[in-house]
Amino acid sequence: MDKARLNALYELWLEKATADPDLTQELVKIRGNDNEILERFYRELEFGTGGIRGVLGAGLNRMNYYTVNKATQGLANYLKRIKPEGARVAVGYDSRIKSDYFSKSAAAVLAANGIKVFMYDELKPTPMVSFAIRELGCDSGINVTASHNPSKFNGYKAYGPDGCQLSLEASDEVIKEIKKLDIFDDVKFGDFAQSLSDGMIEYISKDVEEAYFKAVKSQAIHPDIYAKSGFKVVYTPLNGAGNKPVRKVLSEMGITNIVVVPEQELPDGNFPTCPYPNPEFREALEVGLALCEKENADLLLATDPDCDRVGIAARNKDGGYELFSGNEVGVMLLEYVIKERLALGTMPDEPIAIKSIVSTTLTDAICKKYGVELIDVLTGFKFIGEQIGLLEKQGETERCIFAYEESYGYLAGSYVRDKDAVVASMLICEMAAFYHSRGLSLIEARAEMYAEYGVYYNKIDNFAFEGAAGMQKMQEIMKDLRTVYPKEVSGAKARVLSDFLKGTKLDLSNSSETPINLPKSDMVIVDYEGNATVIVRPSGTEPKIKIYYTTVGKTFDDAKKLYAEYSNVFSKMMKIDN
């Protein structure tokens, strides 16, 4: 986009974007700064597969009152087209900066379009929005959140009537509607207070909330073990939406010895003690770990700002605390659920587990041992939700015993169609209490698992590509990778190349191709001798490329050493400037 066009957009926003004073202040501040204007206006913030996400601020390429409302108007136009007799939408939000403001403005746009809105009266976990959609018979849902991103981000997730994030087909239709709109002239900006008074916006009742909590607690396998465990838990909601719901469920299940990290207890979108509020990373857990040591706690639980992911750390024999990866928690919960349901005789016929394709292949070994069917899906929990929906159509939702993705998202049951850190926190505490009652720590239980199946080391490397130039570089890397992937690493030859954009799996030993029966996606998987796997894909929500490694060894050190060798080779392909 040329400079004249950029400046014209800038001046237009300076004239018309007056609803939020913060935007006017920002625009005035960057006057004459070509680079800052470029970053805000070189493209529109895209409505991706299920929603939008971006840095807060003024401009087309930022999360703000106007970009949120334009996206919402597009969603409204789509809903009016498929449900002309009147659509219903559930709306929620988390603790991020302007989340409540954006949720109310989106609700007002929907109401102005004649769409009935059911809205939570305070911040709630993402899965509670998914639940409300189905419980209230809604046609869609919106949750204003940027999940675990740094504080400068916000976004929202859009849902379908099944409680899953919008399907690829529905997202495409919404995108078409959005592209027809002028951001200032074609949006029906509404008045929240008036719509609430008129009944077009209605707060979700406490009965719906209690129905959700009842559904969560029904997933307990040994509900009596919590109170007997004597377990001590430190919990941090990372200044997000999990504080009340997680504590409520744990308390009602009998885990009363809970200490909450005071600095991270209350909602705060600035995340002052953890600038990157992602429970995958130790930096976000440091304050909680320090409190664990002070309280001599058995377990640390940490949920992300919208409470759909949970990370943990467990005390070891030396009194220190070890973090568990999302893969480790996923496979341990899966095996715990399988073993205990078999022992209690509550396992359904032909049980199914579901995982994202980038999650550890240790899952395959566990499912094979116990005769559980395993379904792999593309990255994104909506694909897991879609599989549960297919089972529902057949009247067989009980067959799905557990689902997870390596990025710390887990689900037991079919009451929601998104990952749920509330039920995951409950089951993690149950599993820990169960092993505790048998004289095992979670760390010892993990060691027993690896002793049986081998050590599967899973690691993700992230490579950020900021700005317009970064987006182009990402595309070039993914294109090149399909032909110049490493043919051999540490003596192990590449065996299979799976190109999910092309939709084919190439056997490198004989050059034969077979189709991949999954939706097309910009992802490449290279399988190597020795059961090592490397998966490369652009993030669907952030300007970065992710590389997922699985290496297998007899010991942790062996598997980790192999990862380092693969990482060294693939990192060189990312063309990061030093």
Side-chain angles (χ1 to χ4, degrees):
M1 188 180 295
D2 60 47
K3 184 175 179 180
R5 174 61 176 154
L6 286 169
N7 284 332
L9 283 171
Y10 168 80
E11 294 295 341
L12 179 66
W13 273 67
L14 195 60
E15 175 190 350
K16 290 193 171 185
T18 57
D20 183 349
D22 291 343
L23 302 184
T24 302
Q25 292 177 20
E26 181 179 340
L27 289 167
V28 170
K29 186 177 180 180
I30 66 169
R31 181 182 290 279
N33 189 325
D34 292 343
N35 287 334
E36 292 294 339
I37 292 172
L38 172 66
E39 288 301 320
R40 286 162 177 78
F41 291 100
Y42 80 91
R43 66 165 189 163
E44 289 197 48
L45 195 63
E46 293 181 358
F47 191 100
T49 53
I52 56 177
R53 185 177 299 184
V55 174
L56 288 159
L60 296 170
N61 188 36
R62 292 290 186 266
M63 275 291 296
N64 54 63
Y65 175 85
Y66 295 97
T67 53
V68 166
N69 288 342
K70 181 182 179 181
T72 306
Q73 183 65 55
L75 176 64
N77 288 351
Y78 165 72
L79 291 173
K80 288 190 291 184
R81 177 157 54 84
I82 65 168
K83 194 74 177 291
E85 67 272 23
R88 297 153 64 95
V89 177
V91 177
Y93 64 94
D94 69 2
S95 65
R96 287 186 172 272
I97 297 168
K98 293 187 181 289
S99 278
D100 56 344
Y101 175 56
F102 292 156
S103 67
K104 289 180 178 178
S105 66
V109 169
L110 294 170
N113 280 274
I115 294 172
K116 174 76 174 185
V117 178
F118 297 91
M119 187 170 181
Y120 282 111
D121 62 356
E122 64 176 351
L123 74 169
K124 298 292 183 186
T126 287
M128 292 187 72
V129 176
S130 176
F131 181 84
I133 292 168
R134 288 162 46 78
E135 185 76 3
L136 295 171
C138 292
D139 304 287
S140 184
I142 295 171
N143 192 43
V144 180
T145 175
S147 189
H148 56 283
N149 288 109
S151 60
K152 68 179 181 179
F153 285 85
N154 210 332
Y156 79 56
K157 299 176 181 178
Y159 291 79
D162 56 359
C164 297
Q165 289 186 51
L166 283 184
S167 67
L168 297 175
E169 296 77 15
S171 290
D172 286 342
E173 291 301 312
V174 173
I175 291 168
K176 290 178 185 177
E177 296 292 345
I178 293 172
K179 288 182 176 179
K180 298 175 185 177
L181 302 173
D182 180 89
I183 198 167
F184 296 116
D185 297 335
D186 295 334
V187 177
K188 294 183 180 179
F189 299 99
D191 183 278
F192 180 85
Q194 186 61 51
S195 296
L196 189 63
S197 176
D198 293 343
M200 286 302 295
I201 298 175
E202 179 181 325
Y203 284 123
I204 294 172
S205 72
K206 297 300 179 185
D207 290 342
V208 173
E209 294 183 30
E210 287 304 318
Y212 164 80
F213 290 121
K214 181 179 179 181
V216 168
K217 291 184 288 186
S218 72
Q219 301 307 312
I221 298 172
H222 291 295
D224 297 332
I225 203 166
Y226 298 88
K228 299 175 183 177
S229 67
F231 221 63
K232 188 170 188 178
V233 177
V234 165
Y235 169 60
T236 171
L238 295 179
N239 300 115
N243 186 35
K244 291 182 180 179
V246 171
R247 292 170 70 180
K248 173 182 171 69
V249 168
L250 294 184
S251 177
E252 291 179 359
M253 294 304 293
I255 297 284
T256 56
N257 199 358
I258 307 172
V259 180
V260 181
V261 177
E263 300 95 329
Q264 299 172 341
E265 177 179 3
L266 299 180
D268 187 342
N270 292 298
F271 310 115
T273 59
C274 53
Y276 199 162
N278 186 345
E280 299 182 40
F281 300 134
R282 189 179 189 94
E283 291 80 5
L285 308 183
E286 290 292 358
V287 178
L289 291 168
L291 186 59
C292 278
E293 293 182 358
K294 179 181 177 181
E295 295 286 342
N296 196 28
D298 298 285
L299 181 70
L300 171 67
L301 284 175
T303 55
D304 69 343
D306 67 324
C307 196
D308 62 353
R309 304 169 191 249
V310 58
I312 71 168
R315 185 173 57 191
N316 60 30
K317 289 182 177 180
D318 299 325
Y321 291 85
E322 295 184 23
L323 274 61
F324 283 57
S325 71
N327 276 311
E328 288 175 330
V329 173
V331 292
M332 289 183 71
L333 280 174
L334 172 63
E335 188 169 44
Y336 171 73
V337 168
I338 292 173
K339 288 195 299 186
E340 292 313 302
R341 291 193 66 173
L342 285 172
L344 294 172
T346 60
M347 182 70 83
D349 294 333
E350 300 179 317
I352 290 172
I354 309 171
K355 75 171 180 71
S356 63
I357 200 165
V358 297
S359 299
T360 179
T361 51
L362 176 53
T363 317
D364 302 64
I366 291 172
C367 287
K368 182 178 180 180
K369 174 183 176 181
Y370 292 101
V372 173
E373 180 184 349
L374 178 61
I375 297 175
D376 276 314
V377 298
L378 292 180
T379 304
F381 218 87
K382 69 178 178 182
F383 296 112
I384 291 175
E386 287 175 358
Q387 291 296 320
I388 297 174
L390 292 174
L391 290 172
E392 183 179 48
K393 290 179 180 179
Q394 301 167 14
E396 298 177 346
T397 52
E398 76 285 348
R399 288 180 62 196
C400 181
I401 58 171
F402 190 71
Y404 86 99
E405 59 184 9
E406 52 73 36
S407 55
Y408 293 60
Y410 319 98
L411 177 64
S414 60
Y415 59 96
V416 297
R417 301 297 158 81
D418 211 336
K419 49 190 174 287
D420 187 355
V422 182
V423 75
S425 295
M426 182 190 77
L427 285 176
I428 288 167
C429 285
E430 178 184 315
M431 177 174 66
F434 176 84
Y435 286 128
H436 184 73
S437 70
R438 283 153 177 73
L440 290 174
S441 68
L442 281 179
I443 291 171
E444 290 167 332
R446 180 180 63 183
E448 287 192 354
M449 177 182 70
Y450 282 145
E452 179 174 358
Y453 297 102
V455 177
Y456 284 66
Y457 187 77
N458 301 100
K459 193 78 166 63
I460 303 174
D461 287 351
N462 291 281
F463 300 89
F465 298 85
E466 298 290 347
M471 293 294 290
Q472 182 176 351
K473 183 177 286 189
M474 286 174 61
Q475 294 170 3
E476 292 172 355
I477 289 171
M478 292 305 299
K479 181 181 179 181
D480 291 346
L481 183 65
R482 290 171 162 84
T483 55
V484 295
Y485 60 89
K487 307 300 189 294
E488 183 175 319
V489 179
S490 190
K493 294 180 179 179
R495 297 186 301 110
V496 179
L497 175 70
S498 300
D499 184 346
F500 284 73
L501 197 59
K502 186 179 178 184
T504 59
K505 180 180 291 188
L506 175 64
D507 186 329
L508 298 171
S509 65
N510 57 22
S511 298
S512 63
E513 283 189 345
T514 54
I516 296 172
N517 296 319
L518 286 172
K520 290 188 177 181
S521 173
D522 191 9
M523 178 171 66
V524 173
I525 300 180
V526 189
D527 291 305
Y528 290 88
E529 295 170 338
N531 294 323
T533 302
V534 181
I535 303 172
V536 187
R537 59 177 284 269
S539 169
T541 57
E542 302 167 89
K544 64 173 61 173
I545 287 178
K546 293 186 173 185
I547 306 182
Y548 303 77
Y549 301 91
T550 296
T551 52
V552 184
K554 292 182 179 180
T555 67
F556 179 86
D557 288 340
D558 289 341
K560 188 175 181 180
K561 181 180 178 182
L562 276 174
Y563 151 72
E565 293 170 356
Y566 278 91
S567 177
N568 180 55
V569 172
F570 274 84
S571 295
K572 292 176 181 177
M573 300 187 66
M574 292 300 104
K575 305 176 184 177
I576 301 295
D577 296 327
N578 293 323

